[in-house]
């Protein structure tokens, strides 16, 4: 069953891939994604039968569970013109689905099909909808701060996401983007890596927070909550005064919500 | 060589605390990657070259037997001999026999990772033949009883101070910390060794099937003296190094130099073709090639075949954030970095080598710089699959994964669990918005705060919002 929300009937019908971390840690990121998709004229639905993309199983070498979850996700997102989510890593996992099926398996073709219509949000907005699809909304936004952008690994190297979020951000009034050193280097999150090899992960994230604070940015932006939780958690532990947000929060004008790890915010009470 | 790979974690811990090492690793980071980037920028067709390199290597691997046989017959035609070594032990025995045949007391050696792989130096020494490393880095390491921590810059883990002390101790000369003086010192000491050596052992970057030639590329020229002065030249290399033609070889030379050091061409590119012919001014009387297999032929046709494309340029480790943090010795055996994380389990077994393919965030940087486009993260993932099937992963990780999988496959159960977890962490965080210590997640909270969730899940909030929207 899908929850249907009628909006612009003419636009493409998009299934939102929520991602576990947005679901559990920062629902506001998923709400921001919905808002942007609707502003771009899409009708957004949230398939009920989605859970995780299966990446923990895939990267732990558990092919059977990966295939089970892949089937579940393929079924859940059947029939949508597009599948969009706020993470290059999770959508990247959807793009790996064809690898987990034998070409003779009926799910193989369906996996290829899902791959062809699933997109990370900034890439969807910029590459599919078009560079100035949101210009009317974005130019009304004001964010008078210096920001720096971390390129998450899967988004960058697997999905080719680099310019899309930057081009969109530049349309926001007052924003100043200062690139950090080694913006493309891994932050050390790596899913279970950060708990399996905490000391190495710590070194990597410490390098990162140095580069971030060297820019003098007020806010760190990125497109993946895993990396952002990691970097925000380290910035906080080190007492560095840099806020961290998912890029969609800026693009959707949702900066009234406290930044990641910043202050008390109870979504349950707002409902 | 001793296998310390199972202690990767402890070694990484020590490496992170070792200030000297960290300083040396800092230099590496600023060195090779930047030079490579400049060289690649200067060559618009580099990407196309990488594709060609990948395709050509794939072709070679499909016809490996053919090219190896052609190579062998050409070597023989040129007055040399080829020896096939299935294992390290076979290789060592063959090499020792060849040394014994000419009654060798000392052998000079050019840099060769394959001889590290088979543990040649220890074996020769134990059998009364003294090997002398002539590559500057390897020479320093030999004096220190140390091993390479990098495949092209073996002593990258050392600082100038370390070298100065080592030379002072072994050369009986006044201490100097001037690199030029140290270099001269090494030259002088090594000159005598070159002349005295009975056998010269080198590796080979490539073996050319059409001519029966082997080639080594160096920036020091030590290899030339190693292979031309002694009576016997033994090339120790591995079966995947064969390329069909000289022309093909040049494709890889172009890729190799740029990927490794950012040079357009390595300084010395020395081809050896057979033994000395009549009228030749120099060259060895005996020319031998030892072709080591050591697990490689098993990789042909397996899910790890792509790894055999490797041309040992080191770009993957130079760009690897894990290697950059812990250095090569942490990996505990011969080959470090991403290429080592794939090769090592093949050679020492996944039971001992399993730590390595797990020590990766799969950031993909290695694959993005590899000149022959080896999908290194994917190959590491294949090792994890092997481990998973053999139940080699730690119990906690296996049970954790199984529990998570149980929920992830049941959306109706998953949702309330996610909501509970979110609620629970929110309560733990209190008003601060972050958690300083999270039970069962010490790996995280020992080093960083855990940002607090927003108290409920998106799925729940969305449902409630939809419901509210439906009400009149
Ligand atoms: S795996 Fe690729 S990048 Fe690494 S050493 Fe081999 S050829 Fe070079």
């Amino acid at each position: 069953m899908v929850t249907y929300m009628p909006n612009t009937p003419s636009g493409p019908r998009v299934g939102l891939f929520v991602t576990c971390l947005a679901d559990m840690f920062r629902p506001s990121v998923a709400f921001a994604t919905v808002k942007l998709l609707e502003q771009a004229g899409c009708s957004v639905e949230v398939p009920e039968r989605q859970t995780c993309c299966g990446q923990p199983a895939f990267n732990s070498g558990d092919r059977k569970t990966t295939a089970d979850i892949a089937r579940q996700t393929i079924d859940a997102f059947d029939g949508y013109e597009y599948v969009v989510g706020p993470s290059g890593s999770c959508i990247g996992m959807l793009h790996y689905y064809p690898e987990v099926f034998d070409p003779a398996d009926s799910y193989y073709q369906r996996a290829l099909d899902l791959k062809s219509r699933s997109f990370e949000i900034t890439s969807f907005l910029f590459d599919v909808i078009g560079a100035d699809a949101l210009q009317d909304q974005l130019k009304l936004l004001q964010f008078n701060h210096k920001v720096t952008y971390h390129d998450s690994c899967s988004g960058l190297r697997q999905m080719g996401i680099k310019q899309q979020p930057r081009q969109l951000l530049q349309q926001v009034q007052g924003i100043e983007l200062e690139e950090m050193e080694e913006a493309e280097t891994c932050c050390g999150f790596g899913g279970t890596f950060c708990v399996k090899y905490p000391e190495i992960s710590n070194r990597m994230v410490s390098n990162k927070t140095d580069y971030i604070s060297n820019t003098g940015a007020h806010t760190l932006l990125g497109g993946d909550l895993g990396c952002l939780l990691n970097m925000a958690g380290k910035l906080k532990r080190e007492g560095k005064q840099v806020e961290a947000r998912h890029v969609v929060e800026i693009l959707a004008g949702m900066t009234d919500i406290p930044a990641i790890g910043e202050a008390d915010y109870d979504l349950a009470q707002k409902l | 060589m001793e296998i310390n790979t199972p202690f990767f974690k402890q070694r990484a811990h020590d490496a992170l605390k070792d200030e000297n090492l960290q300083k040396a690793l800092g230099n590496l980071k600023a060195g090779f990657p930047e030079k490579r980037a400049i060289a690649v920028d200067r060559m618009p067709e580099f990407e196309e070259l990488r594709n060609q390199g990948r395709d050509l290597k794939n072709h070679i691997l499909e016809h490996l037997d053919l090219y190896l046989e052609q190579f062998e017959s050409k070597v023989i035609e040129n007055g040399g001999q080829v020896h096939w070594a299935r294992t390290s032990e076979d290789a060592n025995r063959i090499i020792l026999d060849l040394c014994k045949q000419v009654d060798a007391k000392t052998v000079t050696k050019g840099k060769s990772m394959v001889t590290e792989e088979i543990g040649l130096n220890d074996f020769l020494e134990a059998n009364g033949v003294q090997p002398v490393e002539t590559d500057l880095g390897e020479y320093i390491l030999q004096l220190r009883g140390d091993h390479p921590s990098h495949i092209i810059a073996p002593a990258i883990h050392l600082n100038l101070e370390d070298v100065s002390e080592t030379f002072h101790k072994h050369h009986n000369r006044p201490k100097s910390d001037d690199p030029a003086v140290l270099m001269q010192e090494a030259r002088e000491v090594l000159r005598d060794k070159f002349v005295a050596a009975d056998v010269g052992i080198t590796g080979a970057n490539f073996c050319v099937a059409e001519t029966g030639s082997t080639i080594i590329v160096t920036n020091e020229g030590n290899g030339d003296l190693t292979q031309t002065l002694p009576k016997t030249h033994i090339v120790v290399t591995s079966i995947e190094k064969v390329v069909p033609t000289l022309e093909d070889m040049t494709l890889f030379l172009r890729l190799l130099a740029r990927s490794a050091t950012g040079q357009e061409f390595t300084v010395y590119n020395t081809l050896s073709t057979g033994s000395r012919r009549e009228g030749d001014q120099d060259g060895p009387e005996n020319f031998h090639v030892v072709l080591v297999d050591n697990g490689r032929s098993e990789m042909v046709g397996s899910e790890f075949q792509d790894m055999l494309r490797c041309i040992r340029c080191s770009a993957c480790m130079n760009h690897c954030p894990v290697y950059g943090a812990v250095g090569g010795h942490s990996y505990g055996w011969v080959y470090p970095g991403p290429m080592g994380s794939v090769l090592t389990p093949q050679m020492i077994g996944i039971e001992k080598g399993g730590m390595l393919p797990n020590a990766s965030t799969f950031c993909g940087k290695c694959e993005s710089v590899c000149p022959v486009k080896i999908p290194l993260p994917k190959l590491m993932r294949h090792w994890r699959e092997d481990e998973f099937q053999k139940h080699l992963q730690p119990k906690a990780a296996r049970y954790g994964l199984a529990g998570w999988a149980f929920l992830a496959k049941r959306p109706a159960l998953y949702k309330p669990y996610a909501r509970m977890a979110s609620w629970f962490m929110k309560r733990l965080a209190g008003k601060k918005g972050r958690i300083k210590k999270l039970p069962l997640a010490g790996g995280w909270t020992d080093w960083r705060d855990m940002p607090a969730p927003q108290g409920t899940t998106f799925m729940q909030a969305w449902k409630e919002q939809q419901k509210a929207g439906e009400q009149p």
Side-chain angles (χ1 to χ4, degrees), chain A residues 1-260:
Chain A
M1 197 201 86
V2 292
T3 325
Y4 183 62
M5 183 165 169
N7 5 59
T8 331
S10 58
R13 196 170 150 248
V14 172
L16 176 74
F17 190 77
V18 179
T19 77
C20 312
L21 290 177
D23 185 41
M24 234 169 83
F25 275 90
R26 215 162 161 78
S28 53
V29 165
F31 279 115
T33 309
V34 173
K35 186 170 169 190
L36 287 167
L37 287 168
E38 290 180 349
Q39 285 177 342
C42 307
S43 76
V44 184
E45 296 169 34
V46 182
E48 285 268 349
R49 292 200 52 81
Q50 61 178 304
T51 58
C52 168
C53 62
Q55 197 167 162
F58 189 53
N59 287 345
S60 301
D62 182 352
R63 283 190 81 98
K64 182 168 174 314
T65 300
T66 313
D68 288 346
I69 293 175
R71 276 189 212 97
Q72 175 177 294
T73 311
I74 291 168
D75 288 341
F77 286 91
D78 211 13
Y80 291 99
E81 228 170 309
Y82 296 105
V83 177
V84 179
S87 159
S89 171
C90 309
I91 298 294
M93 184 61 221
L94 267 48
H95 284 214
Y96 280 128
Y97 284 175
E99 281 185 32
V100 303
F101 295 111
D102 188 280
D105 192 315
S106 65
Y107 274 88
Y108 175 73
Q109 280 304 328
R110 297 180 65 196
L112 283 176
D113 173 59
L114 177 66
K115 178 177 174 181
S116 71
R117 56 196 167 86
S118 48
F119 293 87
E120 180 271 349
I121 178 68
T122 62
S123 144
F124 179 75
L125 293 173
F126 194 80
D127 301 329
V128 180
I129 299 291
D132 28 76
L134 291 180
Q135 63 180 1
D136 292 344
Q137 288 96 330
L138 291 178
K139 72 168 183 246
L140 297 178
L141 296 174
Q142 192 87 33
F143 193 72
N144 292 323
H145 294 294
K146 191 195 264 187
V147 301
T148 192
Y149 200 93
H150 166 71
D151 295 293
S152 288
C153 299
S154 308
L156 175 72
R157 279 178 278 270
Q158 187 193 354
M159 311 293 284
I161 297 162
K162 176 80 189 180
Q163 282 316 311
Q164 300 89 325
R166 290 173 171 80
Q167 297 279 344
L168 293 168
L169 281 170
Q170 255 150 32
Q171 301 176 44
V172 174
Q173 302 297 312
I175 206 162
E176 184 198 341
L177 176 68
E178 171 97 17
E179 296 288 356
M180 70 176 99
E181 207 182 316
E182 298 206 21
E184 297 185 356
T185 299
C186 179
C187 72
F189 172 62
T192 54
F193 173 85
C194 66
V195 285
K196 277 197 286 190
Y197 298 93
E199 284 181 87
I200 303 175
S201 172
N202 178 54
R203 167 56 50 88
M204 290 161 73
V205 73
S206 306
N207 292 344
K208 204 77 208 183
T209 50
D210 284 347
Y211 296 141
I212 293 165
S213 61
N214 286 347
T215 62
H218 169 278
T219 303
L220 161 72
L221 297 177
D224 265 279
L225 273 174
C227 318
L228 286 164
L229 290 169
N230 180 36
M231 292 182 288
K234 191 68 194 179
L235 287 165
K236 289 287 151 250
R237 180 65 58 94
E238 291 176 331
K240 290 191 166 120
Q241 301 299 319
V242 186
E243 296 192 348
R245 286 183 189 279
H246 194 290
V247 59
V248 294
E249 299 176 43
I250 304 277
L251 298 177
M254 287 169 58
T255 47
D256 50 328
I257 293 170
I260 298 171

Side-chain angles (χ1 to χ4, degrees), chain B residues 151 307 310-316 339 369-372 374 376:
Chain B
I151 62 172
M307 193 60 224
C310 178
I311 58 172
R312 304 289 191 269
C313 72
S314 81
C316 56
M339 55 84 78
V369 295
C370 175
V372 284
I374 299 174
L376 292 150

